[in-house]
Amino acid sequence: MEYQYLLGGVIASVFVWGLLLAFHAKGRKKVRVSMDIPRDSTLKSSENGMSWARNPESTDIIIVGAGVAGSALAYTLGKDGRRVHVIERDLTEPDRIVGELLQPGGYLKLIELGLEDCVSDIDAQRVLGYAIFKDGKSTKLSYPLENFPSDVAGRSFHHGRFIQKMREKAATLSNVKLEQGTVTSLLKENGAIKGVQYKTRVGQELTAYAPLTIVCDGCFSNLRQSLCNPKVEIPSCFVGLVLENCNLPYANHGHVVLADPSPILFYPISDTEIRCLVDVPGQKVPSVSNGEMSHYLKNTIAPQPVASTINTLAGALYKVFSASPDPARNEMRQACFEYLSLGGVFSKGPIALLSGLDPRPLSLVLHFFAVAIYGVSRLMLPLPSPKRLWTSARLISGASGIIFPIIKGEGVRQMFFPVMVPAYHRSPPMA
C-alpha cells in the first residue's frame, strides 16, 4: 500500500474534500454545458429504491466506487438533481486502517457539502492537534482553531462506520441508486467513455451507460491503467493494531513517534480504542503465520519508548521523519523536530497545513525550506568546519531532492496555479 496515500489518509484526508468542493463549485457548470441532459423527466420511488418515469435505465452519471469520494460525489450530484448510479464492489462495512482521521479542514468541507452528520453516532473522537515524540522529548502542536466555531475540530473514527454513514446519506436521495457489483471494463466509443460493464453480486454481466462516468475506486484501481499512466511507488506498508482501554499522553491529539526506522502513529478511534500504525519499510510485510511479525514488533518496535496542501506534505514528511544512515538526512529530521518545538508561527504554520486550514502550496514550500535553513544554522553554530559545511550543502541538496520531485509529481500548475489547469486536459486516444 503506497505510504504517502496512507499517511495522507491518516493525517491529511482533507485533500479529497478539496477536490469535491472544487468539483461542486466549478465542475457543476461544465457538466451542465457538456452533458446537455434534459430536466423534464420526473422521479418516483419504488419498492427496490427508485425508478425513473421517463426511462428506468436512464442515468446522468455513473460513479465507480462508494468510498469517501464516491459516496460524497453521489450525494452532492444527487442534491443537484442528477440521476446517479453508484456501482460498488462490496457494500458491507469495510474494515480498513486508512482514512480514520479527518482533519478540521475536512470537517469544514463536510459542513459545506451537508455531510457533517456522517461523523455523528459512530463514536467519533475530537482531535485538536498532534504531539510529536523524539529521543525522550515531546512537543504538542494544536490546530489554529481560534477563529472557527467550537464544533470545528478533527475527527477520528472507525473508517468503516464513517463510510457506511456516507453511503446511507447518499441512498436517502431517490435519484441516487447504489448497487453492489464489480466493474470489469469501461465502454468506449470513438475515444470517449460511454459507460461501464460490470458483474452483479450474483455474477450477471450487465452494462450501464451515462454521459459521464467517474472512477473513484481507490489508488489501486484496476481501471486506472486505461485512464492514465500511474507510477505507483510502495516504499513501505502499514501494520495496524488496536489498543484497548489505553490512555495517550495528550488527550484528543494524534501522536507521532519519530522512531527508527520510520514513524509510529497513535490516535483514538473510539472511546475505548487507540489505533497504532507501525510503518514497515519495504514492499514485503513480515509474515504473521511464521512469527516474523511478532518478532519485528517485539524486538524492533516495542523497545523504543513512546516518549521518544496535503498529499505533498505527507510525502515530504515521510521522507523527513524516517531514520536514515545519511547524516544530512538525520540533521534534517532533527531540525524539523526542533523547528516545530519553537512554537508560534513555526508550529502554527505547519499545523495549519497539516489540518487543511491553510491549503496554500507556497506556505508548504516556505516552511519546508525554513526547516532546511534552520538545520544549516544548527550546523554553522558555534563555528563552521569543512565537515559541517559539506553536511549543510548536502542537507540543502537533500531537501531539494525531497520536495521538488513531489511537486513535479503533483503538478506545478495544479499546485501553484490551479486556475490555469483546464477541467478536462487529457486528449482522447486516437482511434
Side-chain angles (χ1 to χ4, degrees), residues 83-347:
R83 292 160 297 186
V84 183
H85 184 185
V86 183
I87 305 173
E88 162 61 36
R89 181 183 59 83
D90 187 356
L91 285 174
T92 61
E93 183 175 312
D95 182 14
R96 302 181 63 192
I97 61 173
V98 297
E100 292 180 322
L101 202 164
L102 181 71
Q103 301 296 337
Y107 182 72
L108 289 172
K109 300 309 175 189
L110 281 181
I111 294 174
E112 292 183 26
L113 296 172
L115 293 167
E116 67 273 18
D117 56 343
C118 291
V119 294
S120 301
D121 302 322
I122 59 172
D123 203 8
Q125 304 297 299
R126 286 170 58 86
V127 179
L128 304 176
Y130 293 94
I132 302 178
F133 299 81
K134 185 181 186 296
D135 299 332
K137 300 178 181 179
S138 66
T139 185
K140 186 173 75 168
L141 308 173
S142 297
Y143 294 138
L145 300 173
E146 298 84 1
N147 299 322
F148 293 91
S150 59
D151 66 314
V152 175
R155 296 292 194 279
S156 54
F157 37 67
H158 281 273
H159 171 81
R161 297 175 186 174
F162 178 57
I163 293 298
Q164 291 302 90
K165 290 280 285 189
M166 294 191 71
R167 291 172 177 173
E168 291 169 7
K169 184 79 170 183
T172 61
L173 301 177
S174 61
N175 52 321
V176 174
K177 175 184 179 181
L178 271 71
E179 180 178 8
Q180 183 164 306
T182 301
V183 174
T184 55
S185 63
L186 301 172
L187 303 178
K188 298 181 181 180
E189 182 180 323
N190 298 325
I193 295 173
K194 298 296 186 180
V196 299
Q197 182 171 8
Y198 67 102
K199 283 186 178 181
T200 66
R201 59 182 176 181
V202 296
Q204 184 181 8
E205 290 271 5
L206 295 177
T207 56
Y209 295 90
L212 177 64
T213 298
I214 304 174
V215 177
C216 302
D217 59 345
C219 63
F220 293 100
S221 164
N222 63 343
L223 304 175
R224 182 164 298 197
Q225 293 288 347
S226 62
L227 297 172
C228 60
N229 300 313
K231 295 181 180 179
V232 178
E233 296 180 2
I234 307 177
S236 64
C237 300
F238 262 142
V239 174
L241 301 88
V242 173
L243 310 179
E244 296 183 343
N245 300 312
C246 295
N247 293 319
L248 291 173
Y250 298 95
N252 300 110
H253 281 69
H255 291 56
V256 182
V257 180
L258 304 185
D260 187 0
S262 50
I264 305 171
L265 310 177
F266 297 87
Y267 50 88
I269 54 175
S270 75
D271 277 336
T272 60
E273 297 169 301
I274 301 296
R275 171 69 74 195
C276 172
L277 291 181
V278 178
D279 178 66
V280 181
Q283 298 188 18
K284 182 182 178 182
V285 178
S287 172
V288 176
S289 59
N290 64 12
E292 287 181 358
M293 179 67 74
S294 176
H295 183 270
Y296 180 81
L297 295 176
K298 290 179 180 179
N299 295 280
T300 303
I301 302 302
Q304 304 182 63
V306 172
S308 114
T309 333
I310 305 299
N311 261 9
T312 310
L313 182 59
L317 284 177
Y318 171 66
K319 294 184 178 180
V320 170
F321 283 167
S322 296
S324 169
D326 183 352
R329 182 69 65 82
N330 283 330
E331 283 290 340
M332 184 73 171
R333 189 185 195 214
Q334 183 65 31
C336 188
F337 178 77
E338 293 187 9
Y339 181 88
L340 294 172
S341 300
L342 292 174
V345 66
F346 305 104
S347 62

